[in-house]
Amino acid sequence: MISDPTYWNDDVAYCIERTHKLTLDKPCITIKIPFDRLGLDENRDQVVLSDFALRGWINHIEALNKLIYNRSRSDKENGAFYCFRPTNVVLQRNASFVEVISEKWYLCLMITVQLPFQNHDKAMRMLCKMLPKEVESFIGNWDLTKLKAAYTLAEKQNRIREWLKTSPYCAFIGNGSMLPRNKENSGPLEGALPFTSPKDLEIEICGVRGMGIKQGVTVITGGGYSGKSTLLDALNSAIYNHISGDGRELVITDQSAMEISAEEGRSIKNINITPFIKWVPNGSAEQFSTDYASGSTSQAANIMEAINVGCKLLLIDEDRSATNFMIQDNKMRLLIKSEPITPFTERVRELYEVAHVSSVLVIGGSGEFLSVADQIILMDNFVPKNVTQEAKNLCKHEKPRERITPTNWDIERKITTDHFSSYPQGSGTEKLMVSPMGYLMIGEEQIDIRGLYNITSQAQLAAIAFLIRKLAVSNQDHLILLHEKINKALHDMEREGVDIVFSTFFPGFERWLELPRFHEVLSVINRMKHLNFVQHEPSEQC
């Protein structure tokens, strides 16, 4: 006999489930509010609606906790309500979503509740009186005017994104944007200077004026503390839309962009790095593998993997890069006769002209990139200036370099299922865990993900972990075509809800998940040490 875990308070449903199998005193409750109670339109953007609702719901959770807070007792003794606290990006989440039940639409808010230890009366009061009362307060304070403003902002952001896809530009920074962050990274730095585009780089998109960054090679330069890395960080975060008040609402970047850095010590399995590394001692650069990569080989692999996932914009800060990978000046060329590294300066133009991958580079210590750049932006105390012509004049008398032989940028890989498992060898129990120190553990793998700067939160990392676990346990084929499998899993999560990959079997996880990009899922898999990657031609079938 199956009992229905859903309870009703008038027309609002409360679905009570386990959070994890070992925490029966901390249930998960999904509150389902009918659209008609909130005056909602079924045809509007559900992700924007869910994000807006979650941010408003946080205030009501704080109000509930304020009523029961006792500083002399722990949450386990006293009881507490928890909900997910998102960053300033708008993403699909399991903490707030839309569901259709019997053709009726509901806004769903997920919370967890710590029930007070051995205090059943208080637990009943929290669940049966306090929570429903606060939900009614949430409904009563629902602000359709602010929701409409959120829709309007999202529509403007999405129009700019669509315009970028068919334009010669890869990024846009709206005038008035506040790029420097406060200490908590929760909003703009108080007193920061609003962004103003140089007049000769200013464009207008959908009624918004700002600086356009063209496809090709762009160098952002300037002295120390001038704002060049702040600008790159803003571009990196702008693969996602931001909420009003973040300061970067109108900073929009090609959604395939990835930040690339050196990752000394990362695992690399069977990838062709010959565009940048001609040979390696006692090994093959064409099928390069190592458990502990150097700075230069890791950055080469990161770029090749980024191209493999469809990245069309590389964001690179020299402070996070391997110097010998990025540049080699004329004196060092004359001194070093046998150099296996083809520096990025020699490939960056070909990367754009042949593979159609643009680059935005933060460079403050070397002029090597000035001669190969299409545009050069100087940051002076957070004020951008177009110094392209001035920089090109400095390069006029340089001896032009001999063009190197073009390379092949196309790669595609499969993995075998021999070691792709969430079960450690010889164990009948799955292992899946995310460490706050920057590691993801699955089966026998301990994956270092500290170099993946595009993962927005622990909730997004948890979703990646559960998605990879689902791929590992459900696959029956000997060979896995990763692109196809990951894309299908993400499509299912987007259509059916992010929560479809979650499992109550693993008690080390918080309950919250955020939808990741394909790029980060494959990037995590690429760092697994025990997998067997197989290169193959794109036309080859599984």
Side-chain angles (χ1 to χ4, degrees), residues 73-232:
R73 294 180 181 177
S74 66
D75 283 357
K76 199 169 183 68
E77 294 176 290
N78 187 63
F81 294 90
Y82 307 103
C83 74
F84 180 63
R85 296 172 181 269
T87 60
N88 287 349
V89 298
V90 179
L91 287 172
Q92 186 174 344
R93 306 181 176 95
N94 66 346
S96 179
F97 57 95
V98 172
E99 186 173 76
V100 182
I101 306 172
S102 301
E103 299 185 357
K104 190 167 183 178
W105 291 64
Y106 291 85
L107 171 65
C108 304
L109 300 167
M110 182 187 289
I111 65 171
T112 57
V113 182
Q114 175 62 64
L115 302 177
F117 181 65
Q118 291 186 343
N119 192 337
H120 295 165
D121 288 343
K122 187 174 184 180
M124 291 290 287
R125 190 165 66 252
M126 287 171 61
L127 295 182
C128 301
K129 291 186 177 180
M130 295 175 64
L131 181 58
K133 183 179 178 182
E134 202 60 42
V135 169
E136 290 301 318
S137 175
F138 171 79
I139 295 170
N141 288 297
W142 184 253
D143 194 327
L144 286 172
T145 302
K146 288 183 178 179
L147 175 60
K148 185 179 179 181
Y151 283 139
T152 301
L153 174 60
E155 286 164 3
K156 183 181 292 186
Q157 292 165 332
N158 292 334
R159 284 201 305 271
I160 296 173
R161 288 195 187 279
E162 289 302 313
W163 185 89
L164 285 179
K165 289 177 183 177
T166 57
S167 78
Y169 292 86
C170 59
F172 175 78
I173 303 101
N175 287 340
S177 296
M178 306 291 284
L179 305 187
R181 302 288 88 194
N182 57 27
K183 287 183 179 179
E184 297 78 27
N185 198 30
S186 60
L189 180 68
E190 188 176 349
L193 191 68
F195 182 89
T196 304
S197 171
K199 289 301 178 186
D200 49 356
L201 294 180
E202 190 172 77
I203 60 174
E204 183 174 323
I205 309 176
C206 305
V208 181
R209 300 195 68 81
M211 185 175 81
I213 296 181
K214 283 190 173 181
Q215 296 170 1
V217 181
T218 299
V219 167
I220 301 171
T221 190
Y225 312 107
S226 60
K228 54 187 186 294
S229 291
T230 300
L231 176 55
L232 191 78

Side-chain angles (χ1 to χ4, degrees), residues 43-79:
N43 299 314
R44 300 305 295 266
D45 190 322
Q46 294 178 14
V47 174
V48 174
L49 165 63
S50 301
D51 179 87
F52 175 82
L54 178 60
R55 296 178 194 280
W57 176 238
I58 291 171
N59 297 328
H60 293 272
I61 289 292
E62 290 176 349
L64 282 170
N65 284 325
K66 191 174 180 181
L67 291 173
I68 60 174
Y69 177 68
N70 187 331
R71 65 178 181 179
S72 64
R73 294 180 181 177
S74 66
D75 283 357
K76 199 169 183 68
E77 294 176 290
N78 187 63

